[in-house]
Amino acid sequence: MFHSFIKAYNDAVFDTDRESALQVIDKARAHGHSPEEIIFQLVIPAVEEMMDTLSEDPDANLAQHFMTAQIAAEVSEKMLAQFSRPPATVGRVVIGTARGDLHSLGKRIVTGCLKTMMVEVLDLGVNVPAEQFVTQAIAFDAQVIAISAMMVHTANGPEGCRKVRQLLRDQQLEHRFRLVVGGAPYRFDEQLFQQVGADAWAADGVSAGKVILNCIRELQP
Amino acid sequence: MMHPMQILQAALNGQPAPRIPIFCNLLDQGARELGMSQAEYYSRGEHVACGQLAMRDRYGYDNLWSLFYVGREAELLGCQEILFADDGTPNVADYFLRTAADIEQFTIPDDITRHPLWQEIAHCLAILRREARGRFPICAYLTASTTLPALLMGMDKWLELALTGPFTLRDQLLAKCSDFFRKQIAAYRAAGADVLLYSTPFGAASFVGMRRFRQFSLPWMQRDLAPGGIDGVVYYCGTAPFNAVIPEVMQQLGITAHYLSPQDDLAVAKSIIGARGLTCGVIDDIQMIAWSPQQTRQEVARLCRIGMVGGHFLLGTGVMPLAVPEANIRAYLEAAFTYGAWS
Ligand code: B12
């Protein structure tokens, strides 16, 4: 039963058809499935399947990544409000765009995917100073600091990820946090993430969810 | 001896020439050249023209740019703040369309050429024209209606509106952006720009998929281009790959010159475009930051080897980051003149 819902839901998301995706959820509710079942047995497996499909499909497009995140986040929010008990979180992430960078789309897609995977996300906004990534990560007790940057000078420059790495080193916090980056410059140069001191990167929002989840698991066996 | 404009014409028409056209897009480097902050440099058309002429003189490539920065289009329409950085590109910092009411009330000025900021562009173009004397192609950058809203309201809000509606509001905004595009392309033509780079990331299947490309992007692009036609227009998706749409762009829009993404397969693009148009191969200038001059030369050689088969080929860069070392700019151009020669 659930499998056919997952398939119908994923087909709709793949087709970036929000209306049909939401109809599938309504139908599952009408069949008597609880909000918990819908999240854990439908939406999360569907997003995971989508992660595999989209990250392997050479023709996958930005609209699909955006809609995967958008629809999943929308459904999750609706269902979570109806949960009988608040769900356990998988981990915590602080996310923002690098200092000097005002491009918020990548961050939004990544955030949507993470929230659906039951990861708690603190969105620090755009144009975030390196110091703030660190202080907020400590205060939020995050496992991952995620930095989005769309231009070369914010991805590769001294005020972004490089500085966050330096601060973590200076404050002897490197064992506590994983540093994950993404954005156009990292896609053009796939070695760049290492040069700026990040632990991992991802080429798109959907695989970002996967990569970040792996980092969380590394720190919380 | 042929001058760069004639070399470009020859590449477009498949006529003999000593070499391929070689473009190099050094925008923010102009400020460094003139020893100015970016804010100061971009405040005057005269500075930008001098910067561009100086960069071309120094390196000897073919094209001149009248583009300040892409956010200038947003400023012509109401954006009040640009974030300048001395180590990188300027960025829109004021997304002034925040609500549905903002979009409804938003208007396109009747005559954009009366805007003081347009007058700086016009001044820049006048100087470039005077100095180029028809020998160097002067490029202009124009954002397509389907992409312009990203600069006015932010990419995330725009993608949401574009994909999930409300669609009447979306189409209202698009019609305004398309009207602006039509005025702007006419103004650039009147001011003497030769190459009109039509920047249309939403016209790439890698952005919206094939179905939406046909149903959404194509009709708006037709509307953008209808009154002025496609003379001098070059298709460009902001370096998002777009091989998959080239056949339809050629057929439906009639645009035959394509400025690819470094991530496009050049051989595939060549096989689609062939002698019907101009394939512009683009080096990955983000990798040029870390490459050695030797690696840069090898990449130019590879692009020329694939791209020059059957002629109709131009070599270019993206928006060259300031962090690309001088040695690699030199290596790119030396190699382009060497491997790009028709001997
Ligand atoms: C669309 C686009 C535009 C549009 C819209 C811009 C906007 N406001 O968003 C327009 C045409 C207006 C434009 C303008 C400019 N652009 Co532009 N643009 C692009 C393009 C084609 C796609 C960018 C995009 O929106 N992608 C969609 C988003 C969602 O992708 P993303 O940010 O990469 O995020 C994905 C992944 O990277 C990942 N991800 C993102 N963040 C994170 C974070 C983490 C932690 C993880 C794990 C993953 C992750 O998931 C995301 C979702 O899939 C790229 C080239 C390219 N092929 O990518 C150039 C590009 C980014 N632009 C570039 C430049 C230079 C500019 C300008 C500065 C040009 C100028 N001189 O004015 C202007 C700036 C405009 C402004 N904001 O003021 C350069 C930047 C490199 C550089 N030279 O510094 C690029 C790379 C093009 C190039 N090669 O020259 N641009």
Side-chain angles (χ1 to χ4, degrees):
Chain A
M1 185 66 221
F2 247 95
H3 194 76
S4 68
F5 283 132
I6 292 179
K7 190 177 173 330
Y9 176 84
N10 264 354
D11 285 349
V13 173
F14 195 78
D15 222 22
T16 62
D17 183 346
R18 175 173 166 271
E19 294 307 312
S20 306
L22 296 180
Q23 272 166 22
V24 176
I25 302 298
D26 288 343
K27 230 190 250 166
R29 277 296 272 148
H31 271 75
H33 295 291
S34 67
E36 283 85 350
E37 280 177 301
I38 290 184
I39 290 295
F40 292 111
Q41 290 172 46
L42 200 162
V43 179
I44 293 181
V47 171
E48 279 176 348
E49 210 175 298
M50 229 24 207
M51 284 177 175
D52 291 333
T53 316
L54 289 187
S55 49
E56 279 155 27
D57 179 0
D59 296 324
N61 57 67
L62 176 66
Q64 289 172 317
H65 287 280
F66 180 75
M67 290 306 272
T68 301
Q70 184 70 19
I71 300 169
E74 207 177 316
V75 173
S76 307
E77 198 178 322
K78 222 157 88 187
M79 294 297 130
L80 285 173
Q82 301 171 29
F83 268 31
S84 44
R85 243 184 302 137
T89 60
V90 171
R92 277 177 300 276
V93 174
V94 293
I95 192 167
T97 73
R99 182 83 181 156
D101 206 312
L102 294 126
H103 295 91
S104 52
L105 176 61
K107 172 171 74 66
R108 174 158 167 190
I109 299 178
V110 176
T111 303
C113 288
L114 289 173
K115 282 191 170 158
T116 312
M117 317 294 295
M118 299 295 137
V119 175
E120 268 185 84
V121 187
L122 179 65
D123 186 343
L124 306 177
V126 294
N127 192 10
V128 180
E131 293 78 7
Q132 205 182 321
F133 276 109
V134 177
T135 51
Q136 294 287 343
I138 298 169
F140 192 56
D141 195 20
Q143 289 86 35
V144 174
I145 299 175
I147 310 174
S148 180
M150 205 172 67
M151 295 170 299
V152 165
H153 70 290
T154 54
N156 193 17
E159 294 299 315
C161 184
R162 285 179 195 273
K163 187 158 179 190
V164 177
R165 169 57 72 200
Q166 189 57 47
L167 292 169
L168 292 180
R169 200 171 290 148
D170 294 347
Q171 297 173 32
Q172 280 149 20
L173 289 168
E174 287 184 290
H175 63 285
R176 246 182 90 178
F177 304 110
R178 290 280 182 272
L179 206 47
V180 183
V181 292
Y186 303 106
R187 282 195 283 126
F188 279 79
D189 180 351
E190 297 189 1
Q191 260 82 56
L192 186 60
F193 83 96
Q194 284 170 323
Q195 291 163 28
V196 301
D199 296 300
W201 79 290
D204 55 70
V206 172
S207 19
K210 231 173 160 172
V211 166
I212 291 174
L213 220 52
N214 287 342
C215 287
I216 293 175
R217 288 188 184 127
E218 274 170 35
L219 288 175
Q220 291 192 317
Chain B
M1 218 178 76
M2 285 171 88
H3 58 60
M5 188 66 142
Q6 291 166 327
I7 291 174
L8 176 63
Q9 290 299 339
L12 281 163
N13 302 324
Q15 287 155 351
R19 61 170 173 84
I20 58 168
I22 298 162
F23 277 26
C24 186
N25 307 324
L26 297 167
L27 301 175
D28 307 326
Q29 286 82 354
R32 201 160 61 185
E33 183 78 10
L34 302 191
M36 289 179 185
S37 72
Q38 291 209 17
E40 188 187 0
Y41 176 71
Y42 285 122
S43 67
R44 303 282 308 277
E46 202 178 304
H47 299 161
V48 175
C50 290
Q52 282 301 303
L53 289 162
M55 297 314 291
R56 210 219 61 80
D57 278 350
R58 175 201 276 254
Y59 295 111
Y61 52 81
D62 291 338
N63 60 319
L64 288 168
W65 267 107
S66 65
L67 170 67
F68 289 42
Y69 44 81
V70 174
R72 176 51 58 102
E73 286 179 71
E75 290 182 294
L76 290 173
L77 292 170
C79 161
Q80 300 292 331
E81 193 190 346
I82 296 288
L83 184 67
F84 292 102
D86 282 317
D87 58 349
T89 50
N91 227 225
V92 171
D94 168 32
Y95 292 117
F96 65 96
L97 296 183
R98 295 187 183 87
T99 63
D102 289 344
I103 294 174
E104 281 157 7
Q105 284 153 23
F106 168 55
T107 54
I108 304 299
D110 272 344
D111 183 357
I112 60 164
T113 65
R114 287 174 47 192
H115 198 295
L117 292 178
W118 174 270
Q119 287 175 6
E120 294 302 331
I121 300 176
H123 188 44
C124 171
L125 269 157
I127 298 172
L128 292 177
R129 253 176 83 173
R130 189 184 71 214
E131 298 296 320
R133 285 181 283 124
R135 293 167 304 160
F136 304 110
I138 300 173
C139 304
Y141 178 101
L142 297 103
T143 307
S145 58
T146 50
T147 297
L148 186 59
L151 285 168
L152 310 180
M153 59 194 293
M155 184 68 171
D156 59 329
K157 303 260 168 44
W158 168 233
L159 198 58
E160 181 174 6
L161 180 60
L163 297 177
T164 64
F167 296 118
T168 45
L169 188 68
R170 174 191 78 181
D171 291 350
Q172 204 181 348
L173 176 57
L174 282 165
K176 292 176 189 180
C177 290
S178 184
D179 289 346
F180 173 72
F181 179 88
R182 291 166 164 199
K183 287 177 204 259
Q184 200 183 206
I185 197 166
Y188 270 117
R189 283 190 167 119
D194 307 297
V195 174
L196 303 160
L197 201 71
Y198 184 44
S199 175
T200 180
F202 279 74
S206 57
F207 250 66
V208 292
M210 222 41 210
R211 181 175 57 84
R212 260 208 188 74
F213 167 78
R214 292 189 182 115
Q215 289 171 3
F216 171 70
S217 312
L218 206 49
W220 284 105
M221 293 196 289
Q222 279 162 331
R223 186 186 189 280
D224 288 350
L225 297 164
I230 50 152
D231 206 27
V233 172
V234 177
Y235 200 80
Y236 169 67
C237 295
T239 74
F242 67 93
N243 264 350
V245 303
I246 295 176
E248 286 176 55
V249 170
M250 293 181 81
Q251 198 181 30
Q252 306 286 332
L253 298 176
I255 301 175
T256 55
H258 297 276
Y259 205 92
L260 302 176
S261 163
Q263 287 153 341
D264 275 313
D265 184 328
L266 181 56
V268 172
K270 276 295 288 192
S271 72
I272 303 169
I273 302 164
R276 295 186 297 151
L278 182 70
T279 303
C280 309
V282 175
I283 193 164
D284 185 340
D285 51 24
I286 294 180
Q287 297 220 51
M288 276 173 73
I289 297 169
W291 277 342
S292 65
Q294 179 59 18
Q295 284 172 304
T296 305
R297 273 190 285 272
Q298 273 168 3
E299 181 58 8
V300 172
R302 188 187 71 84
L303 291 169
C304 287
R305 194 167 58 241
I306 301 168
M308 286 170 72
V309 178
H312 295 270
F313 183 66
L314 175 155
L315 184 68
T317 67
V319 182
M320 194 88 100
L322 275 172
V324 172
E326 166 85 11
N328 280 350
I329 303 177
R330 297 255 178 228
Y332 163 74
L333 289 162
E334 269 164 33
F337 281 97
T338 306
Y339 298 108
W342 297 109
S343 47

